[in-house]
Amino acid sequence: MYGAILGDIIGSPYEFDRSRKTKDLPLFSPRSEFTDDTVMTIAVAEALMLAGVDADEETIRRNCIRSLRFWGRKYPWAGYGGSFHLWLQSPSPAPYGSYGNGSAMRVSAAGWLYDSLDRTREAARATAEVTHNHPEGIKGAEATAAAIFLARTGHTKAEIRDYICGEFQYDLSRICDEIRPAYRHVESCQETVPEAITAFLEGDSFEDVIRTAVSLGGDCDTLTAIAGSIAEAFYGVPEDLKQECLHRIPAQMREVLTAVRK
């Protein structure tokens, strides 16, 4: 999950179309800070670990509701969307048909915790359904978790591309130079997840994937969190960036982050 959190932190100054559309940028600045992407990534990780690897989908959903609400209320200023903010405060939280990219940016732990692709997708689906139960919201979470699982289990980029295209029908035919000029801030899975995966496919190292994702612009922290989560599984994360990540998040988050990798 270092990749997702670093992507969020590094992309945060450039959210809302503030990117200069270049890879030549400082990785960290005084405005680099974690947002709701990191908070919810931690929340889902904690929920899945507490549920256990053999938990059924209902248990995962129940744990996710509890954990998302705990962490969301702990960091109420982190930048949640309006519908999710209402869900956090509702006395009876129910899914609200969202296809927003929040389901994909928070799912990375599902790509690390399970021993099979089917189980990974099942868990990812359950984490999305508590809020983002629109088919596109579920698809975004499953595709992201599947890409992470495939990347960490030794599959090539060509194999990952073919699987994502075949299973989820995302268009991965464009290169980043074709996406970049017209790409603008958008918060749907269907216009964020394919672009994030494309950034991963084009990058030639963890850092290059991060820089490529930021250069696309748009919802930069979320897009880069998704791309970074896959890049970590494929390339690993340099130790200096891991330490920078740990330095920039609170102690309680560090405990969850390090527990996922044990």
Side-chain angles (χ1 to χ4, degrees):
M1 301 187 330
Y2 285 96
I5 296 172
L6 282 165
D8 175 39
I9 293 170
I10 293 168
S12 62
Y14 307 104
E15 190 182 14
F16 303 113
D17 293 321
R18 290 179 292 188
S19 169
R20 293 184 292 113
K21 302 274 188 173
T22 177
K23 293 167 65 171
D24 183 15
L25 51 93
L27 289 183
F28 301 99
S29 76
R31 294 187 295 121
S32 303
E33 58 186 8
F34 72 83
T35 76
D36 59 317
D37 299 47
T38 291
V39 178
M40 293 297 102
T41 293
I42 293 292
V44 167
E46 181 181 75
L48 294 178
M49 287 190 293
L50 289 175
V53 294
D54 297 321
D56 59 27
E57 290 186 64
E58 181 54 36
T59 300
I60 292 174
R61 285 190 289 267
R62 186 166 59 249
N63 276 28
C64 279
I65 291 171
R66 185 184 306 117
S67 188
L68 292 172
R69 284 162 67 85
F70 169 80
W71 285 95
R73 291 172 175 180
K74 187 174 179 67
Y75 296 97
W77 44 262
Y80 312 104
S83 295
F84 186 77
H85 183 77
L86 292 174
W87 182 88
L88 285 176
Q89 305 306 322
S90 172
S92 303
Y96 46 89
S98 176
Y99 51 77
N101 53 28
S103 61
M105 58 81 161
R106 70 193 190 200
V107 77
S108 57
W112 288 97
L113 292 173
Y114 304 100
D115 292 334
S116 75
L117 183 52
D118 286 346
R119 180 63 173 145
T120 295
R121 289 184 56 173
E122 180 182 80
R125 180 169 60 250
T127 70
E129 287 173 338
V130 297
T131 52
H132 295 56
N133 60 333
H134 187 283
E136 291 290 346
I138 295 168
K139 184 168 84 169
E142 283 197 49
T144 301
I148 294 168
F149 178 88
L150 292 170
R152 75 171 178 86
T153 53
H155 291 77
T156 67
K157 287 190 175 185
E159 290 169 335
I160 295 169
R161 180 197 298 272
D162 289 347
Y163 182 84
I164 297 299
C165 291
E167 289 291 311
F168 303 104
Q169 291 75 55
Y170 281 141
D171 178 10
L172 301 180
S173 64
R174 298 175 299 163
I175 61 173
C176 287
D177 283 347
E178 294 170 329
I179 295 169
R180 190 177 292 109
Y183 191 62
R184 295 293 179 264
H185 187 92
V186 62
E187 297 181 358
S188 68
C189 274
Q190 53 268 47
E191 294 179 271
T192 306
V193 176
E195 288 76 11
I197 294 174
T198 298
F200 156 69
L201 292 171
E202 283 199 19
D204 58 19
S205 67
F206 176 80
E207 183 175 326
D208 191 50
V209 170
I210 294 292
R211 291 181 179 278
T212 300
V214 172
S215 79
L216 293 179
D219 191 6
C220 223
D221 59 336
T222 297
L223 190 151
T224 310
I226 296 168
S229 69
I230 307 168
E232 175 187 10
F234 194 84
Y235 292 109
V237 177
E239 187 60 32
D240 62 328
L241 291 181
K242 284 186 179 181
Q243 293 306 312
E244 188 70 34
C245 178
L246 293 171
H247 174 70
R248 288 175 177 268
I249 60 175
Q252 195 173 3
M253 288 190 184
R254 291 198 294 270
E255 292 175 7
V256 176
L257 173 59
T258 55
V260 171
R261 301 303 298 274
K262 288 181 179 178

